[in-house]
Amino acid sequence: MRVTLEGHLGKARFMSPFPASEPVLQHFEFPLADFVASNPAIDPARLAHVRFVFDRTATGVVVDNVGFRVATP
């Protein structure tokens, strides 16, 4: 299973001094309302911890710059 997307950098690999591909940065957004809809026992006001588990590949995944945004009504 591939866990990252790769973008090709050159038009013809044999003509380019650059690497054939590189990881593509990705942005994901998960509204808390989606989690509440799935499990009404979740109370976003009492949220104290968030844990990410990446256990579907043997090599693992590197995650950087995780952020949280509070939406204002």
Side-chain angles (χ1 to χ4, degrees):
M1 173 194 300
R2 184 173 294 270
V3 295
T4 58
L5 298 175
E6 291 184 353
H8 295 286
L9 302 177
K11 291 185 178 182
R13 290 183 185 183
F14 69 90
M15 295 174 56
S16 176
F18 301 110
S21 64
E22 70 178 11
V24 176
L25 300 178
Q26 300 173 45
H27 171 90
F28 297 95
E29 186 171 314
F30 304 101
L32 287 176
D34 292 351
F35 292 94
V36 174
S38 175
N39 181 356
I42 295 175
D43 180 3
R46 295 186 57 193
L47 186 63
H49 303 287
V50 175
R51 183 175 68 171
F52 298 95
V53 178
F54 299 94
D55 61 356
R56 295 195 179 188
T57 65
T59 58
V61 175
V62 174
V63 177
D64 192 11
N65 294 326
V66 174
F68 295 90
R69 178 172 56 170
V70 177
T72 56

